[in-house]
Amino acid sequence: MSSLAVIPGDGIGPEVMAEVVKVHAVVEDIFGTGLTTDVLPYDADYFLEHGDVDIDIQEIRNRYRAVLLGALGDPRIPDNRHAKQIIGGLRQQLELSVNLRPVRLRTLEHCPLKHVTSIEDVDLVIVRENTEDVYVGIGGTVRGGRPGHVAMEVGVHTRWAVDRAVTAAFELARSRPRRRLTLVDKSNAMPSAGPLWQERFRAIASSYPDVECDHLYVDAAAMELIRYPARFDVVVAGNLFGDILSDEAAQLAGGLGVAPSASYDPEDTGFFGVFEAVHGSAPDIAGTGRANPLASVMSYSLMLDRMGLREAHTAVERAVDHVLCGDLLTPDLGGIARTDEVGDEMCRAIARHDKD
Ligand code: ATP
């Protein structure tokens, strides 16, 4: 038996992860994945009690096959230090350079664009570099609080990490029917990082002649996502642009309640990565039973896919289709169902999988 680490975290994290654990129990029962779960207590309360969350990331890597993360963020810790320690620690120390954020419309009712007339028009994956850019924490402030206040944020882009993200994006594009990859950058305003991304994109493209490539500046990409989302298949971008575009793209398929993500090191064959919803801890709805658990369940489904557990993955995806095309929806999707009711419906749909 091998194990999954479950970190429920803060806010709605524990509520949605309870549903993931329930779904996993049904999947385990039917498909026998051999994966047990360990719930780890790293959250805001842990931080406030211990003064920090100084966890041994390598031990997590060695002990578990993957991490299922709820959400981290708590108003009592305004600088989110605990979240940075846990999420930043996992991403940086385990070199999780690749962040996949798929967006697929399951029913037209959940798309806010009136000109989208087929669910196939919204089916894309954003591949976001996950460890660099302005998230490295290099910068500073001088003359703070005075009229000459200077604030600097440094965006770091290394050839190594760019190559890993771009190669993963090409591999993904090659595996999808449309085989199309769009590089998004702002090379017209970023004369150092832009050419690095463009040069590496071109160099790596030569190994993927079967993938159709194009390029958009990030402002044009933001516009095109609304104007004509069907033009996108796989998109690769740096950390900042990937973050922003994936929240925008998520809205095309129903919003943050149905936006999953997977972060992994493409070269680490022993550890499959960290799987978490794109959304945060949503303190505004925590404890109300209004949180949509599907984004976390869909992140779990991405893990099954990465582990090669095809049958289990297909059953969970079909159950997500079933729930999203039905009436038992949480308020973010216009329904009145509670978090646990949606989780129960997922479990029933998975249990019925081979009878449909
Ligand atoms: P972060 O800075 O970590 O992204 P945030 O508070 O800015 O956190 P979210 O926590 O993602 O952002 O919440 C943004 C909005 O989306 C909130 O109004 C929240 O209630 C809503 N939301 C987020 N996740 C869900 C969910 N799973 N179900 C329903 N609504 C959600």
Side-chain angles (χ1 to χ4, degrees):
M1 286 295 239
S2 43
S3 257
L4 305 173
V6 177
I7 305 179
D10 307 319
I12 61 170
E15 299 164 48
V16 294
M17 292 315 283
E19 304 312 310
V20 172
V21 170
K22 249 160 55 179
V23 164
H24 177 62
V26 176
V27 167
E28 183 49 30
D29 217 29
I30 300 174
F31 299 100
T33 61
L35 295 163
T36 58
T37 52
D38 269 359
V39 176
L40 307 184
Y42 307 126
D43 57 13
D45 287 337
Y46 184 100
F47 175 88
L48 292 169
E49 193 182 320
H50 296 86
D52 70 11
V53 194
D54 191 14
I55 51 178
D56 187 338
I57 300 283
Q58 283 307 328
E59 197 191 320
I60 289 183
R61 151 72 187 75
N62 295 336
R63 181 175 297 188
Y64 299 104
R65 309 299 305 283
V67 174
L68 295 167
L69 185 62
L72 290 161
D74 187 300
R76 294 171 298 170
I77 311 170
D79 64 0
N80 256 340
R81 241 185 39 238
H82 69 307
K84 285 178 193 146
Q85 278 185 310
I86 302 167
I87 300 173
L90 288 164
R91 285 184 189 159
Q92 299 295 337
Q93 292 186 43
L94 300 184
E95 308 282 13
L96 307 178
S97 304
V98 178
N99 182 221
L100 299 190
R101 295 185 162 196
V103 176
R104 180 155 73 84
L105 185 60
R106 318 267 177 152
T107 166
L108 277 179
E109 283 165 32
H110 296 157
C111 183
L113 302 180
K114 67 176 188 304
H115 54 282
V116 166
T117 52
S118 159
I119 55 168
E120 275 96 46
D121 288 353
V122 179
D123 183 2
L124 59 108
V125 183
I126 295 181
V127 179
R128 168 190 175 193
E129 196 291 318
N130 205 26
T131 56
E132 301 194 331
D133 207 339
V134 293
Y135 297 77
V136 292
I138 299 177
T141 301
V142 282
R143 300 198 292 268
R146 306 220 301 273
H149 185 146
V150 177
M152 285 168 295
E153 225 76 68
V154 178
V156 170
H157 302 257
T158 65
R159 175 174 160 159
W160 182 73
V162 170
D163 278 6
R164 281 156 63 93
V166 170
T167 304
F170 270 106
E171 285 293 324
L172 179 67
R174 174 175 269 176
S175 74
R176 289 167 57 92
R178 287 163 62 204
R179 298 188 173 195
R180 189 181 164 109
L181 177 61
T182 305
L183 169 66
V184 169
D185 66 19
K186 187 65 183 166
S187 44
N188 51 349
M190 295 170 66
S192 307
L196 174 64
W197 277 88
Q198 300 230 349
E199 179 203 308
R200 298 314 301 156
F201 187 75
R202 271 194 303 273
I204 295 166
S206 64
S207 304
Y208 296 86
D210 49 335
V211 175
E212 186 192 343
C213 300
D214 74 340
H215 166 258
L216 283 175
Y217 295 130
V218 63
D219 41 348
M223 185 183 71
E224 286 292 279
L225 271 172
I226 303 299
R227 199 184 69 83
Y228 182 40
R231 86 177 292 298
F232 293 103
D233 181 15
V234 180
V235 173
V236 64
N239 208 341
L240 181 60
F241 300 149
D243 188 15
I244 297 166
L245 288 183
S246 53
D247 269 30
E248 181 190 355
Q251 298 308 313
L252 304 178
L256 289 177
V258 289
S261 90
S263 302
Y264 60 90
D265 171 351
E267 280 147 45
D268 188 345
T269 51
F271 180 74
F272 289 92
V274 175
F275 300 83
E276 61 180 311
V278 168
H279 64 70
S281 60
D284 55 333
I285 56 165
T288 66
R290 294 166 63 89
N292 190 340
L294 289 176
S296 296
V297 172
M298 291 156 80
S299 306
Y300 164 77
S301 178
L302 288 176
M303 180 202 76
L304 296 174
D305 186 36
R306 247 194 89 60
M307 289 179 164
L309 299 166
R310 298 270 171 264
E311 258 197 293
H313 167 69
T314 304
V316 175
E317 287 298 312
R318 286 178 62 186
V320 171
D321 283 341
H322 162 82
V323 170
L324 284 175
C325 294
D327 294 332
L328 205 74
L329 300 167
T330 43
D332 56 307
L333 293 176
I336 53 165
R338 288 192 322 267
T339 310
D340 59 329
E341 291 176 316
V342 172
D344 290 342
E345 183 64 7
M346 275 297 300
C347 292
R348 282 192 291 272
I350 295 167
R352 277 200 309 267
H353 83 286
D354 53 1
K355 300 183 192 79
D356 283 348

